[in-house]
Amino acid sequence: MQKTEILQHNNAFCFYYLTDMAEDLGNSDKMAVNLTQKHIRGRLAETLLTLKDIYGTEDDDATINIKLSRQELASMSNMTTANAIRTLSLFCSENIVNTWGKNIKIINEEELKKISKIG
């Protein structure tokens, strides 16, 4: 049976498939807008929250469960490495996050969400 036949004969699967595709498209659109229209702080905040959602946290429920270089974090946030380092340092001085090496611990998630939302 070909893929198109499966979609034609299984309405539940077809509905699930289309719903999943629409959700992925919506997420891609949201990410494109975030990376092109938000200010640097908002982009980095959004990236940190997304990483937490995707990779989860360590046992302390705050440290993001992925280790990224500052260059990788900058690339994901559509900014220069220098801007990522500077913004992350500001987040640290404002007690929003704490960093050591490639570890990032979210201290004040509500403030991070606020920054992400206002861009």
Side-chain angles (χ1 to χ4, degrees):
M1 189 179 276
Q2 292 182 357
K3 292 177 186 177
T4 55
E5 290 176 9
I6 292 171
L7 293 175
Q8 288 173 341
H9 298 298
N10 190 335
N11 291 336
F13 177 73
C14 186
F15 180 77
Y16 170 80
Y17 186 72
L18 289 174
T19 303
D20 189 57
M21 284 179 43
E23 187 176 317
D24 286 348
L25 181 60
N27 289 338
S28 295
D29 185 51
K30 179 184 169 189
M31 183 172 275
V33 169
N34 287 338
L35 292 177
T36 58
Q37 295 182 3
K38 282 187 177 182
H39 294 286
I40 289 174
R41 287 174 56 90
R43 290 195 304 246
L44 186 59
E46 179 76 23
T47 299
L48 294 175
L49 292 168
T50 300
L51 289 170
K52 181 180 182 257
D53 287 344
I54 293 172
Y55 296 101
T57 58
E58 294 181 3
D59 293 337
D60 64 0
D61 290 328
T63 303
I64 300 171
N65 200 19
I66 186 171
K67 314 296 185 246
L68 295 172
S69 69
R70 299 302 184 254
Q71 184 177 3
E72 292 167 326
L73 192 59
S75 179
M76 292 179 73
S77 303
N78 195 30
M79 63 178 69
T80 65
T81 304
N83 280 337
I85 292 169
R86 191 176 309 112
T87 306
L88 201 54
S89 293
L90 285 172
F91 285 174
C92 288
S93 68
E94 296 169 6
N95 292 318
I96 298 170
V97 301
N98 188 12
T99 62
W100 62 99
K102 293 184 178 185
N103 295 296
I104 301 171
K105 180 178 183 176
I106 298 175
I107 298 170
N108 189 341
E109 187 170 349
E110 291 306 313
E111 185 64 22
L112 204 57
K113 287 178 182 178
K114 181 180 170 186
I115 293 167
S116 173
K117 186 175 182 177
I118 61 173

